[in-house]
Amino acid sequence: MSLTSIVKHAFTPRIKELERHQTQGEQLQRQVLTALLQKAKDTEYGRNHLFSQAKGYDDFIKHTPVNSYEELKEDIDRMRHGERDVLWPGRVKWYAKSSGTTNDKSKFIPVSSEGLQNIHYAGGKDSVSIYLRNNPKSRLFDGRALILGGSHAPNYNLPGSLVGDLSAILIENINPLANLVRVPDKKTALLSDFETKRERIAKIAMTKNVTNISGVPSWMLSVLNCMMELSGKTHLEEVWPNLEVFFHGGVAFTPYRKQYEQLITTPNMHYMETYNASEGFFGIQDDPADKSMLLMLDYGVFYEFMDMETSEIMPLWAVQTGRNYAMIISTTCGLWRYMIGDTVRFTSTNPYKFVITGRTKSFINAFGEELIVDNAEQGLAYACQQTGAEVLEYTAAPVFMDANAKCRHQWIIEFSKPPKDLAEFATLLDKKLQELNSDYEAKRHKDITLQPLELIAARKGLFTDWMRQRGKLGGQNKVPRLSNSRDILEQLLHLNEK
């Protein structure tokens, strides 16, 4: 009898509990809100916003504003200096370092012990539960898990308090029993230099029986390619014949899927998307045939959504399918009505399932075109399908006016397999974007407002070099995709010439 066949019974009760997501979404969310308010009513924030008097959602939003990081930054900094009972009861020791805001290089997201257990680890356990349900013949626990993480550092030199990538926080606090089935060792996993870590992980992991891998697609691919070079093998199943699943998240998988399918050719390989951010674990792909994810409703997260067209804010039970929403969360980590910055579109409300459409600040709307990341991903996938090309990384920004008083979008793309005709690829991408986005189509009409997009092929390694310059290799760092500002694009164009 395999170890998996024994262990999987421990996950069966949770599958029954998840059935409540089908019909009791509103009830589950109201219960979460009640628990959050009760737990935090005696914190400084809870007292200031009358949590003890709140009878439900309407009372909660009446006295609690929607917050960005800037509004909570001062309180979080006090917590980082050791103050207790500020946004969440007790002292919060862990802070997930995330990409910055307009005013700051980095954000520091509090991760309480409750949030660690009932949000982040709960999401990991549910991912395994759902995978085992969908794959009853799995041998997941009969080998090792390669978990790719970042690094952490002391927080203001306070004893026992650390800041770092969320993945590093999870690895640091993981149940010691999990270390028996994961690779690499903690010391290697938490190395700060990604290039050193990549080679060490590759050397260690290539000798193990790895059955599952977890991480950000771009950085995991870098580790796997390093391992293939060291091993001299062509396909990953030659190194890991029992590999069966990649739990991925952090960035869209579409640009990387083709490369993974070429690297891993076994028909037994599975891919499972998760939505795990520094602020919380929010979604799991529960159906392999459906790219949308199940919204996790019974963790320590209460959800609200702002309609991107009307700016109306509503609880989960008021959302509609097909509309673009910005996500707002309140959590057991002390984030209150926090605008996370991601946008989603619901594909179902029974149960609540969604796809990530982009970022509230990651879009191009220089000329009223409202181009979002979801449009870009679909457009690139179509152009790749038609030309046989493969995209590794990309970013785009507007050209507001050139020498001929013409405006356009400028894309720089690093191909792992370039198209034979770059102009054809650009034309296909441009036409697909018009099909996907009526605003973009209107602005492109007869080339009056917006000219055909310009595509620049990046040299090999450009985006890695750009990330390295900024100390952003590895962890959960990601390349910004779309922007109204040309800052990032200009940096890449300058580096592309070197």
Side-chain angles (χ1 to χ4, degrees):
M1 181 178 291
S2 72
L3 180 60
T4 305
S5 63
I6 299 171
V7 173
K8 70 179 182 180
H9 293 295
F11 294 89
T12 304
R14 179 56 180 164
I15 292 299
K16 293 293 292 182
E17 291 179 7
L18 287 173
E19 291 176 3
R20 296 182 64 195
H21 283 58
Q22 298 281 342
T23 57
Q24 300 178 38
E26 179 177 347
Q27 180 183 342
L28 289 170
Q29 275 290 277
R30 289 189 183 275
Q31 289 173 350
V32 169
L33 179 59
T34 299
L36 284 171
L37 295 175
Q38 177 62 30
K39 181 77 175 180
K41 62 183 175 60
D42 294 323
T43 62
E44 180 181 308
Y45 195 89
R47 292 193 302 272
N48 290 342
H49 296 88
L50 308 181
F51 283 6
S52 63
Q53 299 177 30
K55 304 299 182 186
Y57 177 68
D58 291 340
D59 288 340
F60 172 56
I61 64 173
K62 186 187 303 180
H63 300 292
T64 309
V66 172
N67 294 297
S68 66
Y69 183 77
E70 280 73 18
E71 279 80 45
L72 298 180
K73 176 187 172 184
E74 185 176 334
D75 286 338
I76 291 173
D77 199 56
R78 290 167 53 205
M79 293 165 65
R80 288 185 61 204
H81 278 89
E83 287 194 44
R84 304 171 63 89
D85 304 322
V86 181
L87 294 173
W88 191 250
R91 179 180 168 223
V92 177
K93 298 191 300 181
W94 291 93
Y95 296 86
K97 189 177 180 180
S98 182
S99 56
T101 66
T102 304
N103 301 317
D104 296 283
K105 183 178 179 180
S106 299
K107 294 182 292 188
F108 298 92
I109 306 300
V111 181
S112 67
S113 56
E114 292 92 340
L116 196 64
Q117 296 298 328
N118 66 18
I119 300 177
H120 294 291
Y121 285 143
K125 291 173 185 174
D126 279 351
S127 298
V128 173
S129 298
I130 292 170
Y131 177 74
L132 292 175
R133 180 201 66 189
N134 292 339
N135 299 278
K137 295 182 180 180
S138 170
R139 302 291 294 270
L140 192 74
F141 292 103
D142 292 281
R144 299 290 189 93
L146 169 57
I147 302 175
L148 193 59
S151 60
H152 57 55
N155 168 51
Y156 288 140
N157 294 315
L158 292 179
S161 184
L162 295 171
V163 299
D165 292 323
L166 173 69
S167 53
I169 293 173
L170 297 175
I171 289 171
E172 182 67 41
N173 290 280
I174 201 167
N175 187 314
L177 292 176
N179 288 318
L180 300 176
V181 294
R182 61 173 291 274
V183 69
D185 59 277
K186 184 187 290 188
K187 182 179 179 181
T188 301
L190 297 177
L191 284 172
S192 59
D193 185 294
F194 177 73
E195 291 171 295
T196 300
K197 175 160 62 177
R198 176 180 59 184
E199 185 166 342
R200 287 192 189 178
I201 290 175
K203 287 179 178 178
I204 294 169
M206 63 190 288
T207 64
K208 307 297 182 182
N209 174 30
V210 172
T211 60
N212 61 102
I213 55 179
S214 302
V216 177
S218 52
W219 303 124
M220 181 62 76
L221 190 63
S222 180
V223 170
L224 297 181
N225 284 333
C226 178
M227 191 171 69
M228 299 312 293
E229 290 178 15
L230 291 172
S231 68
K233 304 296 184 182
T234 304
H235 298 115
L236 196 57
E237 60 265 30
E238 297 176 76
V239 180
W240 296 330
N242 298 313
L243 181 67
E244 59 178 85
V245 60
F246 178 21
F247 298 101
H248 60 84
V251 298
F253 191 54
T254 302
Y256 305 98
R257 180 175 289 277
K258 192 76 172 179
Q259 294 168 76
Y260 275 93
E261 289 175 348
Q262 290 177 344
L263 183 62
I264 310 168
T265 59
T266 172
N268 299 321
M269 186 63 185
H270 301 91
Y271 299 91
M272 190 170 175
E273 184 172 10
T274 61
Y275 180 12
N276 53 332
S278 298
E279 296 86 354
F281 199 118
F282 309 124
I284 299 171
Q285 184 182 6
D286 67 330
D287 180 354
D290 183 359
K291 291 184 179 180
S292 59
M293 288 180 278
L294 180 70
L295 189 68
M296 309 314 293
L297 304 179
D298 59 353
Y299 297 174
V301 181
F302 179 77
Y303 300 97
E304 296 174 83
F305 299 89
M306 184 182 78
D307 191 302
M308 291 296 285
E309 288 187 19
T310 67
S311 296
E312 179 187 1
I313 296 174
M314 64 200 72
L316 176 66
W317 51 89
V319 300
Q320 300 175 15
T321 58
R323 299 190 68 82
N324 206 32
Y325 295 104
M327 184 183 286
I328 299 169
I329 58 171
S330 299
T331 78
T332 51
C333 291
L335 299 177
W336 297 106
R337 303 198 76 198
Y338 181 80
M339 184 80 75
I340 187 176
D342 289 341
T343 58
V344 300
R345 183 181 70 251
F346 284 92
T347 58
S348 165
T349 55
N350 187 25
Y352 289 96
K353 299 185 72 171
F354 68 98
V355 293
I356 301 170
T357 54
R359 298 279 293 172
T360 54
K361 296 181 180 179
S362 183
F363 57 86
I364 302 178
N365 192 29
F367 316 106
E369 66 275 44
E370 297 189 22
L371 190 73
I372 62 175
V373 175
D374 188 50
N375 300 150
E377 298 286 352
Q378 291 189 55
L380 287 169
Y382 173 77
C384 286
Q385 182 184 44
Q386 296 299 309
T387 63
E390 295 172 16
V391 171
L392 185 63
E393 297 285 4
Y394 72 93
T395 195
V399 175
F400 292 97
M401 193 172 289
D402 62 16
N404 299 313
K406 298 293 186 180
C407 307
R408 65 187 182 279
H409 287 182
Q410 192 174 46
W411 295 62
I412 183 165
I413 301 178
E414 183 177 340
F415 293 95
S416 54
K417 181 181 178 183
K420 292 181 179 179
D421 187 335
L422 198 64
E424 179 194 13
F425 187 96
T427 299
L428 288 166
L429 173 59
D430 191 64
K431 288 182 177 179
K432 190 62 177 180
L433 293 176
Q434 293 180 58
E435 288 180 25
L436 294 165
N437 185 316
S438 59
D439 291 316
Y440 183 81
E441 181 184 37
K443 300 303 179 291
R444 284 282 295 110
H445 182 62
K446 295 185 177 180
D447 298 349
I448 296 172
T449 304
L450 201 59
Q451 303 301 299
L453 66 84
E454 176 188 1
L455 198 159
I456 299 166
R459 64 170 173 78
K460 185 177 180 181
L462 172 66
F463 285 86
T464 297
D465 290 345
W466 182 78
M467 296 285 273
R468 183 188 293 111
Q469 279 191 355
R470 280 146 191 80
K472 297 290 187 180
L473 282 182
Q476 292 176 294
N477 298 304
K478 58 197 80 170
V479 175
R481 297 308 192 190
L482 307 177
S483 176
N484 275 337
S485 166
R486 288 187 55 81
D487 292 349
I488 293 170
L489 188 63
E490 290 291 353
Q491 293 167 11
L492 287 161
L493 289 173
H494 178 72
L495 196 59
N496 198 44
E497 297 173 355
K498 294 184 177 181

